[in-house]
PDB file of all heavy atoms in Angstrom:
ATOM      1  N   MET G  44     164.785  44.579 137.993  1.00  0.00           N
ATOM      2  CA  MET G  44     164.254  43.607 137.024  1.00  0.00           C
ATOM      3  C   MET G  44     165.221  42.732 136.442  1.00  0.00           C
ATOM      4  O   MET G  44     166.333  43.107 136.153  1.00  0.00           O
ATOM      5  CB  MET G  44     163.413  44.275 135.978  1.00  0.00           C
ATOM      6  CG  MET G  44     162.307  45.136 136.331  1.00  0.00           C
ATOM      7  SD  MET G  44     161.489  45.731 134.790  1.00  0.00           S
ATOM      8  CE  MET G  44     160.912  44.318 133.984  1.00  0.00           C
ATOM      9  N   LYS G  45     164.881  41.489 136.180  1.00  0.00           N
ATOM     10  CA  LYS G  45     165.812  40.573 135.548  1.00  0.00           C
ATOM     11  C   LYS G  45     165.729  40.825 134.019  1.00  0.00           C
ATOM     12  O   LYS G  45     166.737  40.718 133.282  1.00  0.00           O
ATOM     13  CB  LYS G  45     165.556  39.104 135.894  1.00  0.00           C
ATOM     14  CG  LYS G  45     165.787  38.721 137.298  1.00  0.00           C
ATOM     15  CD  LYS G  45     165.658  37.280 137.465  1.00  0.00           C
ATOM     16  CE  LYS G  45     165.906  37.012 139.075  1.00  0.00           C
ATOM     17  NZ  LYS G  45     165.644  35.620 139.425  1.00  0.00           N
ATOM     18  N   GLU G  46     164.561  40.960 133.474  1.00  0.00           N
ATOM     19  CA  GLU G  46     164.317  41.127 131.996  1.00  0.00           C
ATOM     20  C   GLU G  46     164.237  42.713 131.617  1.00  0.00           C
ATOM     21  O   GLU G  46     163.431  43.229 131.401  1.00  0.00           O
ATOM     22  CB  GLU G  46     163.023  40.564 131.686  1.00  0.00           C
ATOM     23  CG  GLU G  46     163.010  39.058 131.706  1.00  0.00           C
ATOM     24  CD  GLU G  46     163.793  38.292 130.670  1.00  0.00           C
ATOM     25  OE1 GLU G  46     164.045  38.901 129.561  1.00  0.00           O
ATOM     26  OE2 GLU G  46     164.336  37.287 131.015  1.00  0.00           O
ATOM     27  N   LYS G  47     165.574  43.196 131.684  1.00  0.00           N
ATOM     28  CA  LYS G  47     165.792  44.553 131.369  1.00  0.00           C
ATOM     29  C   LYS G  47     165.346  45.067 129.955  1.00  0.00           C
ATOM     30  O   LYS G  47     164.839  46.075 129.814  1.00  0.00           O
ATOM     31  CB  LYS G  47     167.157  44.998 131.824  1.00  0.00           C
ATOM     32  CG  LYS G  47     167.344  45.014 133.308  1.00  0.00           C
ATOM     33  CD  LYS G  47     168.760  45.392 133.729  1.00  0.00           C
ATOM     34  CE  LYS G  47     169.165  45.349 135.088  1.00  0.00           C
ATOM     35  NZ  LYS G  47     168.489  44.518 136.065  1.00  0.00           N
ATOM     36  N   THR G  48     165.715  44.202 129.068  1.00  0.00           N
ATOM     37  CA  THR G  48     165.341  44.519 127.699  1.00  0.00           C
ATOM     38  C   THR G  48     163.946  44.537 127.519  1.00  0.00           C
ATOM     39  O   THR G  48     163.395  45.447 126.858  1.00  0.00           O
ATOM     40  CB  THR G  48     166.132  43.509 126.731  1.00  0.00           C
ATOM     41  OG1 THR G  48     167.365  43.601 126.915  1.00  0.00           O
ATOM     42  CG2 THR G  48     165.749  43.897 125.280  1.00  0.00           C
ATOM     43  N   LEU G  49     163.219  43.556 128.050  1.00  0.00           N
ATOM     44  CA  LEU G  49     161.731  43.615 127.900  1.00  0.00           C
ATOM     45  C   LEU G  49     161.165  44.744 128.681  1.00  0.00           C
ATOM     46  O   LEU G  49     160.254  45.474 128.227  1.00  0.00           O
ATOM     47  CB  LEU G  49     161.159  42.373 128.651  1.00  0.00           C
ATOM     48  CG  LEU G  49     159.644  42.043 128.574  1.00  0.00           C
ATOM     49  CD1 LEU G  49     159.143  42.031 127.085  1.00  0.00           C
ATOM     50  CD2 LEU G  49     159.261  40.779 129.268  1.00  0.00           C
ATOM     51  N   GLY G  50     161.633  45.108 129.829  1.00  0.00           N
ATOM     52  CA  GLY G  50     161.260  46.328 130.576  1.00  0.00           C
ATOM     53  C   GLY G  50     161.424  47.567 129.837  1.00  0.00           C
ATOM     54  O   GLY G  50     160.501  48.456 129.691  1.00  0.00           O
ATOM     55  N   THR G  51     162.537  47.669 128.973  1.00  0.00           N
ATOM     56  CA  THR G  51     162.784  48.847 128.246  1.00  0.00           C
ATOM     57  C   THR G  51     161.769  48.988 127.101  1.00  0.00           C
ATOM     58  O   THR G  51     161.337  50.051 126.757  1.00  0.00           O
ATOM     59  CB  THR G  51     164.200  48.824 127.668  1.00  0.00           C
ATOM     60  OG1 THR G  51     165.186  48.678 128.743  1.00  0.00           O
ATOM     61  CG2 THR G  51     164.513  50.014 126.810  1.00  0.00           C
ATOM     62  N   ILE G  52     161.647  47.793 126.410  1.00  0.00           N
ATOM     63  CA  ILE G  52     160.575  47.834 125.339  1.00  0.00           C
ATOM     64  C   ILE G  52     159.179  48.158 125.818  1.00  0.00           C
ATOM     65  O   ILE G  52     158.494  48.982 125.222  1.00  0.00           O
ATOM     66  CB  ILE G  52     160.553  46.437 124.612  1.00  0.00           C
ATOM     67  CG1 ILE G  52     161.962  46.267 123.912  1.00  0.00           C
ATOM     68  CG2 ILE G  52     159.409  46.369 123.727  1.00  0.00           C
ATOM     69  CD1 ILE G  52     162.109  45.021 123.308  1.00  0.00           C
ATOM     70  N   SER G  53     158.860  47.659 127.057  1.00  0.00           N
ATOM     71  CA  SER G  53     157.558  47.960 127.611  1.00  0.00           C
ATOM     72  C   SER G  53     157.393  49.465 127.877  1.00  0.00           C
ATOM     73  O   SER G  53     156.386  50.117 127.673  1.00  0.00           O
ATOM     74  CB  SER G  53     157.459  47.229 128.900  1.00  0.00           C
ATOM     75  OG  SER G  53     156.216  47.535 129.547  1.00  0.00           O
ATOM     76  N   PHE G  54     158.484  50.145 128.401  1.00  0.00           N
ATOM     77  CA  PHE G  54     158.512  51.561 128.755  1.00  0.00           C
ATOM     78  C   PHE G  54     158.393  52.314 127.459  1.00  0.00           C
ATOM     79  O   PHE G  54     157.609  53.243 127.375  1.00  0.00           O
ATOM     80  CB  PHE G  54     159.868  51.891 129.277  1.00  0.00           C
ATOM     81  CG  PHE G  54     160.165  53.238 129.746  1.00  0.00           C
ATOM     82  CD1 PHE G  54     159.810  53.801 130.942  1.00  0.00           C
ATOM     83  CD2 PHE G  54     160.661  54.192 128.797  1.00  0.00           C
ATOM     84  CE1 PHE G  54     160.007  55.169 131.288  1.00  0.00           C
ATOM     85  CE2 PHE G  54     160.992  55.567 129.057  1.00  0.00           C
ATOM     86  CZ  PHE G  54     160.588  56.034 130.323  1.00  0.00           C
ATOM     87  N   LEU G  55     159.098  52.018 126.425  1.00  0.00           N
ATOM     88  CA  LEU G  55     159.048  52.698 125.168  1.00  0.00           C
ATOM     89  C   LEU G  55     157.744  52.543 124.382  1.00  0.00           C
ATOM     90  O   LEU G  55     157.218  53.607 123.916  1.00  0.00           O
ATOM     91  CB  LEU G  55     160.110  52.328 124.226  1.00  0.00           C
ATOM     92  CG  LEU G  55     161.603  52.701 124.728  1.00  0.00           C
ATOM     93  CD1 LEU G  55     162.612  52.050 123.847  1.00  0.00           C
ATOM     94  CD2 LEU G  55     161.748  54.204 124.828  1.00  0.00           C
ATOM     95  N   VAL G  56     157.114  51.454 124.416  1.00  0.00           N
ATOM     96  CA  VAL G  56     155.752  51.168 123.712  1.00  0.00           C
ATOM     97  C   VAL G  56     154.746  51.971 124.539  1.00  0.00           C
ATOM     98  O   VAL G  56     153.870  52.718 123.897  1.00  0.00           O
ATOM     99  CB  VAL G  56     155.500  49.717 123.648  1.00  0.00           C
ATOM    100  CG1 VAL G  56     154.022  49.508 123.241  1.00  0.00           C
ATOM    101  CG2 VAL G  56     156.371  49.041 122.575  1.00  0.00           C
ATOM    102  N   SER G  57     154.777  51.875 125.816  1.00  0.00           N
ATOM    103  CA  SER G  57     153.660  52.659 126.540  1.00  0.00           C
ATOM    104  C   SER G  57     153.895  54.128 126.350  1.00  0.00           C
ATOM    105  O   SER G  57     152.877  54.862 126.308  1.00  0.00           O
ATOM    106  CB  SER G  57     153.495  52.247 127.959  1.00  0.00           C
ATOM    107  OG  SER G  57     154.788  52.598 128.680  1.00  0.00           O
ATOM    108  N   LYS G  58     155.058  54.660 126.353  1.00  0.00           N
ATOM    109  CA  LYS G  58     155.412  55.990 126.262  1.00  0.00           C
ATOM    110  C   LYS G  58     154.958  56.526 124.846  1.00  0.00           C
ATOM    111  O   LYS G  58     154.167  57.551 124.771  1.00  0.00           O
ATOM    112  CB  LYS G  58     156.913  56.252 126.320  1.00  0.00           C
ATOM    113  CG  LYS G  58     157.293  57.703 126.268  1.00  0.00           C
ATOM    114  CD  LYS G  58     158.776  57.844 126.375  1.00  0.00           C
ATOM    115  CE  LYS G  58     159.229  59.342 126.193  1.00  0.00           C
ATOM    116  NZ  LYS G  58     160.507  59.627 126.349  1.00  0.00           N
TER     117      LYS G  58
END
Side-chain angles (χ1 to χ4, degrees):
M44 294 183 67
K45 291 183 179 178
E46 292 292 330
K47 291 179 177 29
T48 303
L49 183 60
T51 303
I52 292 169
S53 173
F54 179 90
L55 292 174
V56 168
S57 67
K58 182 178 177 183

